[in-house]
Structures are given as structure tokens and as C-alpha cells.
Amino acid sequence: MRRPLDPAALDVLFKEARTHSSFTALPVDDAILATVWNLARMGPTSANSSPGRIVFVKSVEAKKLLEPALSSGNRAKTMKAPTTAIFAYDMQFYDLLPRLFPQDDARSWFAGNDEAIRVTAFRNGTLQAAYFIIAARALGLDCGPMSGFDNAKVDAAFFPDGRYRSNFICNLGYGDGQRIGPRNSRLEFDEACKIL
């Protein structure tokens, strides 16, 4: 039986981790993004489908491409963040299943089944994005995930061929501790869970 992580690690990942809206000017090195990915990619997905895709928006040109899609409340903070991750999912993920899940003909489970593709890509891509956030926290980054943007505009700007679809975006960097209020309430176990 594995031992639980020590309380300090749980604090970093969950108890003291917060959504950040403002960051220091310190850039996020490409190498740390690759290290976070290499950790996050180990999280489980259905049949190892791994449909999650990420575009890291860092350059001035890429930020300008993203800006029109952002809601007014998210525009300024996203433009100032060192990096913004666009978490997306691949609608043709199943073409990689012969390599990712060679023990079965998993590609045939999806090819031609649009609903199975959509549900599996969205669900597992979302899981992978959550793994990425946890891995980023574990490796010293702060995160500011958000939904306040126009998916259609992001997809047109960054994924014009339609293969990838945006899910949500997340600012990444080193939080400056500003604009963090008290932690909002969370549901208690008995409100959200049932043991049968």
C-alpha cells in the first residue's frame, strides 16, 4: 500500500493552491512547460486515448490573436500573464490509438461514431487539462483557469482546420499574490457524495 503524500505537498496541490489573476513579470520557460506536460501526460484516459492538446500563447503576436476572443473581465489579466494555455481536444485522437492502445483495435470503437468521438475527446481532454494544472502546481507554477472567452473565435484563430476544439484557457506563471480574496466555500462530503 502506498503512503499518502505529506501535508505540505497536499497544501501545494490543493489546500493552499489558489486561482491566480495576476502574475509577476517572470517568464515561464519553455522547458518547464515541457516538464509539466511530461508529468501530466501520465494521468489516465480512456483506452489511453490522450486527446488533450495545448497551445501555449506567449508571444505578442499570439496574444493579439487571442485578445478578441476574451471576455472583458479576462482580457487585461490574460494580456499581462506570461503564458496562457489553450486547453483543447483532438477530434481525430482515435487515429493514434493503434500506437497508444495497441492491445486492441480501439480505433474501430470510434471511427465513424461522431458522438463517441465527441464525448470521449471532451471528457478525456478535460481530465488531461486538470492533470496539467495539478502538475503545474507541483512544479512551482501558479494557474488561473477560466471559461470567459468565445470558443468559436479561439477555434477560428488557433484551430482553423476544425480538428482541435478549445475547452478552456488557463493563465500560467508565478503569482504575485495580488487580487486573491478569501477562499469561497466548498460543498461538504454529504452534500456532494453518496456511498451506496
Side-chain angles (χ1 to χ4, degrees), residues 47-100:
N48 200 33
S49 56
S50 305
R53 303 292 182 264
I54 309 170
V55 171
F56 296 106
V57 178
K58 295 178 74 173
S59 70
V60 172
E61 296 78 18
K63 291 264 188 181
K64 286 181 180 175
L65 201 57
L66 178 62
E67 186 173 12
L70 300 168
S71 67
S72 59
N74 289 333
R75 191 168 294 128
K77 65 184 177 182
T78 301
M79 291 301 100
K80 290 180 183 175
T83 301
T84 301
I86 301 173
F87 290 114
Y89 49 96
D90 183 356
M91 294 297 288
Q92 294 176 15
F93 69 89
Y94 53 91
D95 284 335
L96 298 174
L97 287 175
R99 175 165 61 98
L100 297 175

Side-chain angles (χ1 to χ4, degrees), residues 37-52 100-101 120-132 134:
W37 168 256
N38 286 327
L39 182 60
R41 69 186 178 142
M42 296 303 177
T45 56
S46 301
N48 200 33
S49 56
S50 305
L100 297 175
F101 197 74
T120 301
F122 178 73
R123 177 182 297 127
N124 290 279
T126 302
L127 278 173
Q128 288 186 279
Y131 300 147
F132 188 94
I134 300 302

Side-chain angles (χ1 to χ4, degrees), residues 169-189:
I169 62 177
C170 182
N171 291 331
L172 300 167
Y174 303 93
D176 63 10
Q178 304 297 313
R179 299 175 60 193
I180 295 179
R183 186 186 292 279
N184 289 330
S185 178
R186 301 295 197 267
L187 296 178
E188 296 297 334
F189 181 87

Side-chain angles (χ1 to χ4, degrees), residues 9 12-13 32 36 39 131-141 143:
V12 167
L13 298 179
I32 190 70
V36 174
L39 182 60
Y131 300 147
F132 188 94
I133 290 171
I134 300 302
R137 287 175 171 177
L139 294 172
L141 290 174
C143 305

